[in-house]
Amino acid sequence: MTTNVEFGASVDAAPPVLSVHGLAKRFGGVVALRDVSLELRPGEVHCLAGENGSGKSTLIKIISGAEFPDGGQIVVDGESRERMDTTSAIETGIQVIYQDFSLFPNLTVAENIVLTSAVAQRHKFHNARRARAQAKEIVEELQLDLDLDADVGNLSVANRQLTAICRAMISRARVIIMDEPTTALTHAEVTNLFVLVDKLRDRGVALLFVSHKLNEVLRISQRVTIMRSGAVVTAGPVEDFDIKSITKFMTGLDIDDVRTLPELSPEAEVRLEVVGLTLPGAFWDVNFQVRKGEILGITGLLGSGRTEIAESLFGIVPAERGTVRVDGESVAIGSIRDAVSAGIGYVPEDRLTQGLFLEKSIADNIVASSLSEHRTKWRVLDRRRIRATIDELFQKLHIQAPNAKAAVRTLSGGNAQRVVLAKWLATNPKILILNGPTVGVDVGSKAQILDLLREQARRGMAVIVISDDEPELVACCHRVLVVTKGRVSGELAGDDVSVETIQQSMAV
Amino acid sequence: MPSLRRLQGRNNEGTLLLVLIGLCVIMSLLNPVFFSINTAFSIMRSTTVPLILALAVLLVIISGGIDVSFPVVAIASAYTSVTLMLNFDFDYGVPVVFLMSACIGAVLGLINGVVIARFRLPTLIVTLATQGIFFGAMLTYVGSRYHPDLPPSMSRLSTVNVVNVVTSNGKAYLHVLVLLAVVVALLVWGLLKWTMFGRSLYAIGGDYEGARRAGFRVVRTQVLTYVLVGVIASLAGVAHIVMSRSANPQDLVGGELDIIAAVVLGGASIFGGRGSVLGTVLGVLLIQVINNSLLLVGVPGAWLRAAVGILLIVGIGIQTVSARRKARRVHSVEDAATPAGKEA
């Protein structure tokens, strides 16, 4: 471990702006953080890596004052304190840029940059001209190409991010924490961002990149801290790691890398055929087939059109042109009803708002989409059959709750996801489309959910998994389609499916 | 294209202005009587009260809420002031009437604001409820009598005109209270543009959670908004009583939809975060011109309600469709990818 010694020596000169020691946090009975320590030095880019649910977001929330720790210390400029609140976090120069940026879509870029600091300084009046000049100053200083008078709602994701960074800088940020900064960006945009990051580093800003997508973030980071199940597994200079070792530290076991595919006979019939599917502005001329028992992955960057393709197949935003055939029969999908009666089920990306009735019980949620299949010949609901379906799925999916009467709101991410899955399995769909099936789910549940998909495929269901999580695609998909700018730009099948090949074809 | 965009305005004010001008031209061709100072003055007169009310509603709508209690607040505060003056037989002049009414309006607005902001209740439901409560309370405790004679200061004001012109169609008058509408419009414009309060309204309407995270004092701003709505509405109430030369507690009530329609037509987004004083002025004018002109060309009065309804749907339709288009444009990758080509 000679590197550690060098590493210690080289940065001794710069004392940390912010450090945390031995942080602990519990939510109810669940341990979110255990003895977590982290140091941020001026002028460094620090990568905080970890799976979803590893405690990264809890740590950011504690640093930014949105949550209070149960134990441990936060040290700012050598001064130790037990907790941070939002106001003092901003005053000490800690700025968090969340994935949604928290910008106001109805205001201009200039206003977005200036308003927050004006609020912090308790201004009473607003001078549009002076505000614009202030915004212009920071934008020019950072040499950015931003239209100050454009509405933020009309900006690309990359430009929104730049706006958020300008907003942080105008509040004299010394620590900028960015949540998944590269996930939604194209290659060229990432390069732009990194040019800016270098400028910020020169000014002595400490940046903490929180990410589970590592290939890009590693390019620019100096140090890495890796978390797993609420604890720091390892930390050190970036040279000590490569993607493989980081992935191993993040997941513990390489469960995800095991490629296990349900058997697919070469003669299996085509379940779903999509020809020339087009929705101008979102995707164009999409063609693919999924056979009985096949798991097809669809991937692409955020905004590439992958979600829109799924939503059009499920009738949420119907496609304008193209043919969809289910079991060889052409079906017109103009609404969600059409899709459901054609045998298509959809597990949305944002299941908390789109997929579940949060206040209702697990049981009610499970049968919510399949009530019409649970009727007697008199067309009234068959209580006994409903009970049976609920019991079966509740057991089979290992939903962790005292019983099926618990409200869905009380469940963790992994368990909520299982309820959505159960809901669609209860309808017995021919085709199940899952958008980000394991986002926000811990590693153990992830493996179980993937197993469940494999089992459904084995029984003849055609499964489409939409995801940007490469290991997950590799773990369960027979084939992977890559969507770029609304078009299918590549297809990987059989042994060609690997994390590297997927990343390469997305990068084009 | 950019110059055209500018003319169109941030909230389609340009389009609205064109429609308004077009309508006036058509009406003048159909019926030459329409094109006269008399018509212009009469439209301005009938616009006064709706415009002041609309400016109040604009504030709530920008902040992402809706208020349906404002007509009741307007009439309740003005009618109560007049009743007090008549019952106790005092009259310290018109400014005192406005002040008294504004105080009552502020209290009623405060009730709305506190209930909505403290308990985070849906604004429509709360104001529906308070509308009933305020109206009932006024009829019970203040009275339901129609006052045909106003206190002297008010009845004197009701005959004051700023402009008197003799035209071929007889005399044309412009009532002095038109100036009140102009002043309120300028004040609201300045409030929205030049104060942090105004900017916070836009921020809260754009993203409530985001505004909270950014450190805006969301609760305070909301409470203050409803107080302001109460005050502005109460001015409209007094203006209405002065201009109709009598105090009827049943007046204005039920007119909330026309006003909200005018504000939304004027480009304010019903989802919050968008809206302008200019748009609101044009929206109110448009509705008044339509009311006025349809009668002139002989359309039965019953159809006026339908016309306003149709106009509202068309207005909101245009707004929603263009917003959806815009949203799709942003999501589409081609747009998102282009800026990346530029060098930072």
Side-chain angles (χ1 to χ4, degrees):
Chain A
M1 278 283 156
T2 45
T3 38
N4 259 344
V5 178
E6 282 169 24
F7 164 66
S10 64
V11 275
D12 257 358
V17 205
L18 175 87
S19 58
V20 297
H21 302 286
L23 283 188
K25 178 77 186 171
R26 293 170 149 272
F27 291 108
V30 186
V31 177
L33 290 183
R34 234 179 313 157
D35 191 24
V36 170
S37 302
L38 179 81
E39 278 189 355
L40 287 175
R41 300 198 166 87
E44 78 165 346
V45 179
H46 194 121
C47 172
L48 177 61
E51 295 252 273
N52 287 312
S54 60
K56 290 176 301 178
S57 26
T58 312
L59 178 58
I60 307 180
K61 281 183 187 154
I62 288 178
I63 294 177
S64 66
E67 298 274 1
F68 297 143
D70 298 333
Q73 283 175 331
I74 304 170
V75 183
V76 185
D77 296 328
E79 189 192 322
S80 165
R81 51 177 95 190
E82 274 176 14
R83 55 164 64 173
M84 190 72 106
D85 59 57
T86 10
T87 335
S88 57
I90 293 171
E91 276 166 10
T92 36
I94 299 170
Q95 290 276 334
V96 185
I97 299 177
Y98 291 98
Q99 235 181 323
D100 66 359
F101 307 134
S102 305
L103 294 169
F104 301 107
N106 55 327
L107 301 181
T108 64
V109 172
E111 286 177 312
N112 266 288
I113 293 176
V114 174
L115 266 186
T116 318
S117 72
V119 170
Q121 292 164 30
R122 297 261 176 263
H123 283 186
K124 290 272 177 271
F125 293 97
H126 172 78
N127 182 332
R129 204 169 304 149
R130 213 179 53 213
R132 196 179 179 284
Q134 275 178 331
K136 192 173 175 199
E137 195 182 327
I138 194 88
V139 167
E140 278 174 359
E141 220 175 295
L142 299 173
Q143 293 168 304
L144 299 177
D145 184 14
L146 274 176
D147 179 2
L148 288 171
D149 303 311
D151 276 2
V152 164
N154 298 341
L155 292 187
S156 68
V157 179
N159 283 342
R160 284 183 208 199
Q161 187 177 49
L162 298 182
T163 308
I165 294 175
C166 288
R167 182 183 59 184
M169 287 311 291
I170 216 166
S171 312
R172 301 229 167 71
R174 294 193 298 154
V175 176
I176 297 183
I177 303 173
M178 297 183 77
D179 194 5
E180 300 288 353
T182 58
T183 311
L185 303 185
T186 64
H187 244 59
E189 287 167 344
V190 170
T191 313
N192 269 350
L193 172 67
F194 286 177
V195 171
L196 175 58
V197 164
D198 274 334
K199 282 181 207 148
L200 299 182
R201 275 182 49 206
D202 290 345
R203 295 159 149 243
V205 175
L207 290 108
L208 181 64
F209 277 16
V210 183
S211 186
H212 71 280
K213 309 261 294 180
L214 299 162
N215 44 340
E216 291 164 331
V217 170
L218 283 186
R219 248 167 60 201
I220 198 154
S221 303
Q222 281 85 52
R223 287 198 298 147
V224 182
T225 297
I226 302 174
M227 292 183 69
R228 188 172 69 224
S229 0
V232 172
V233 201
T234 181
V238 75
E239 296 81 22
D240 291 2
F241 299 92
D242 58 23
I243 296 220
K244 208 167 233 157
S245 64
I246 293 180
T247 318
K248 194 150 195 169
F249 277 121
M250 268 165 55
T251 53
L253 305 156
D254 320 56
I255 339 167
D256 290 341
D257 288 315
V258 185
R259 188 160 155 79
T260 330
L261 303 177
E263 215 165 300
L264 178 64
S265 89
E267 297 91 75
E269 307 144 46
V270 173
R271 251 276 107 115
L272 173 74
E273 188 178 13
V274 174
V275 183
L277 205 67
T278 300
L279 177 62
F283 54 85
W284 294 266
D285 195 28
V286 173
N287 302 293
F288 63 85
Q289 295 182 339
V290 195
R291 292 187 289 162
K292 266 188 182 172
E294 187 178 28
I295 305 182
L296 173 74
I298 299 183
T299 187
L301 296 166
L302 202 71
S304 60
R306 51 168 215 238
T307 295
E308 287 78 2
I309 294 173
E311 290 188 341
S312 78
L313 285 176
F314 191 59
I316 298 171
V317 187
E320 284 183 11
R321 288 190 294 280
T323 319
V324 177
R325 289 192 198 96
V326 176
D327 288 338
E329 256 177 71
S330 165
V331 286
I333 297 175
S335 67
I336 296 179
R337 254 190 119 75
D338 293 343
V340 172
S341 61
I344 300 175
Y346 178 58
V347 179
E349 209 168 9
D350 184 359
R351 55 184 170 271
L352 288 184
T353 61
Q354 296 174 9
L356 289 170
F357 302 104
L358 292 176
E359 306 299 338
K360 293 278 177 186
S361 68
I362 296 171
D364 286 346
N365 271 285
I366 290 178
V367 292
S369 288
S370 53
L371 284 175
S372 53
E373 276 103 69
H374 289 92
R375 289 187 294 191
T376 64
K377 59 183 172 179
W378 300 102
R379 304 189 72 79
V380 293
L381 290 178
D382 186 339
R383 293 265 158 219
R384 214 175 319 147
R385 224 146 41 88
I386 290 179
R387 199 64 253 163
T389 307
I390 292 169
D391 286 344
E392 186 202 328
L393 288 167
F394 188 72
Q395 299 292 331
K396 200 169 81 181
L397 269 67
H398 308 283
I399 298 170
Q400 275 154 27
N403 58 51
K405 289 198 184 89
V408 170
R409 185 179 284 288
T410 62
L411 299 182
S412 72
N415 282 309
Q417 182 67 328
R418 284 177 226 200
V419 176
V420 188
L421 263 176
K423 179 174 108 174
W424 285 108
L425 294 182
T427 65
N428 252 324
K430 293 177 185 165
I431 302 149
L432 186 61
I433 306 172
L434 303 105
N435 200 345
T438 61
V439 169
V441 166
D442 58 284
V443 185
S445 304
K446 189 168 173 175
Q448 282 178 0
I449 288 173
L450 294 187
D451 267 341
L452 211 87
L453 296 183
R454 293 189 188 105
E455 191 195 322
Q456 294 303 321
R458 228 169 269 131
R459 292 185 183 178
M461 194 184 284
V463 181
I464 301 178
V465 174
I466 294 167
S467 172
D468 57 5
D469 182 344
E470 295 93 0
E472 168 180 303
L473 293 167
V474 174
C476 71
C477 296
H478 293 99
R479 282 185 298 138
V480 174
L481 296 184
V482 181
V483 185
T484 317
K485 299 187 181 184
R487 291 174 199 276
V488 176
S489 60
E491 179 177 338
L492 303 165
D495 294 338
D496 285 346
V497 180
S498 71
V499 172
E500 289 76 27
T501 52
I502 295 174
Q503 277 172 353
Q504 273 163 16
S505 50
M506 279 213 293
V508 179
Chain B
M1 266 324 262
S3 56
L4 253 177
R5 279 270 154 77
R6 258 192 94 148
L7 272 182
Q8 196 186 12
R10 270 173 75 86
N11 309 303
N12 282 327
E13 290 95 345
T15 323
L16 202 58
L17 188 64
L18 278 184
V19 172
L20 194 59
I21 294 173
L23 192 69
C24 291
V25 169
I26 294 172
M27 292 317 300
S28 312
L29 293 177
L30 285 176
N31 188 343
V33 176
F34 182 85
F35 191 75
S36 67
I37 290 192
N38 302 55
T39 315
F41 281 4
S42 114
I43 288 175
M44 281 166 85
R45 186 195 160 97
S46 59
T47 302
T48 303
V49 173
L51 178 59
I52 300 175
L53 290 174
L55 289 165
V57 176
L58 175 69
L59 294 177
V60 207
I61 289 190
I62 290 176
S63 79
I66 190 88
D67 186 339
V68 294
S69 71
F70 65 91
V72 172
V73 171
I75 200 69
S77 37
Y79 177 79
T80 307
S81 309
V82 171
T83 309
L84 284 176
M85 289 167 74
L86 292 173
N87 286 358
F88 296 100
D89 197 24
F90 67 94
D91 184 355
Y92 301 119
V94 178
V96 177
V97 184
F98 275 110
L99 196 68
M100 243 164 74
S101 186
C103 289
I104 301 171
V107 170
L108 298 183
L110 185 68
I111 295 173
N112 275 336
V114 167
V115 174
I116 286 166
R118 276 308 303 160
F119 306 108
R120 296 201 59 181
L121 296 178
T123 55
L124 175 68
I125 307 301
V126 171
T127 52
L128 261 176
T130 52
Q131 178 199 39
I133 297 169
F134 296 160
F135 194 55
M138 172 183 69
L139 295 182
T140 318
Y141 295 111
V142 182
S144 50
R145 255 190 50 221
Y146 169 75
H147 301 302
D149 297 307
L150 296 180
S153 66
M154 288 175 84
S155 58
R156 245 178 282 130
L157 185 69
S158 63
T159 54
V160 178
N161 296 312
V162 262
V163 189
N164 269 320
V165 206
V166 183
T167 65
S168 50
N169 308 321
K171 273 191 171 176
Y173 311 103
L174 188 59
H175 197 268
V176 66
L177 283 179
V178 170
L179 293 180
L180 178 68
V182 175
V183 169
V184 174
L186 286 175
L187 283 178
V188 172
W189 175 80
L191 185 76
L192 287 176
K193 189 172 158 72
W194 294 103
T195 67
M196 279 306 284
F197 172 77
R199 299 326 287 172
S200 356
L201 284 187
Y202 283 98
I204 292 170
D207 184 349
Y208 186 93
E209 226 11 77
R212 244 169 43 107
R213 256 191 253 165
F216 285 95
R217 281 182 280 187
V218 181
V219 172
R220 227 181 66 154
T221 310
Q222 264 187 319
V223 173
L224 201 55
T225 309
Y226 286 92
V227 171
L228 257 178
V229 171
V231 170
I232 300 177
S234 71
L235 303 182
V238 177
H240 171 81
I241 286 182
V242 169
M243 288 166 88
S244 58
R245 297 176 193 187
S246 61
N248 181 354
Q250 311 277 355
D251 271 3
L252 294 181
V253 180
E256 54 271 8
L257 272 185
D258 272 9
I259 309 285
I260 293 170
V263 176
V264 172
L265 268 180
S269 164
I270 202 79
F271 308 111
R274 279 185 189 287
S276 68
V277 169
L278 179 63
T280 303
V281 172
L282 292 171
V284 175
L285 272 176
L286 185 64
I287 286 192
Q288 292 305 321
V289 168
I290 286 181
N291 279 341
N292 207 301
S293 54
L294 289 185
L295 281 176
L296 268 179
V297 290
V299 176
W303 273 101
L304 289 181
R305 305 289 313 152
V308 173
I310 292 168
L311 212 59
L312 182 60
I313 288 183
V314 171
I316 296 185
I318 292 174
Q319 206 184 80
T320 315
V321 169
S322 77
R324 213 177 283 154
R325 260 216 204 118
K326 227 181 231 171
R328 200 189 275 176
R329 230 189 295 140
V330 174
H331 277 295
S332 96
V333 269
E334 293 196 313
D335 246 26
T338 22
K342 298 182 196 164
E343 290 304 314

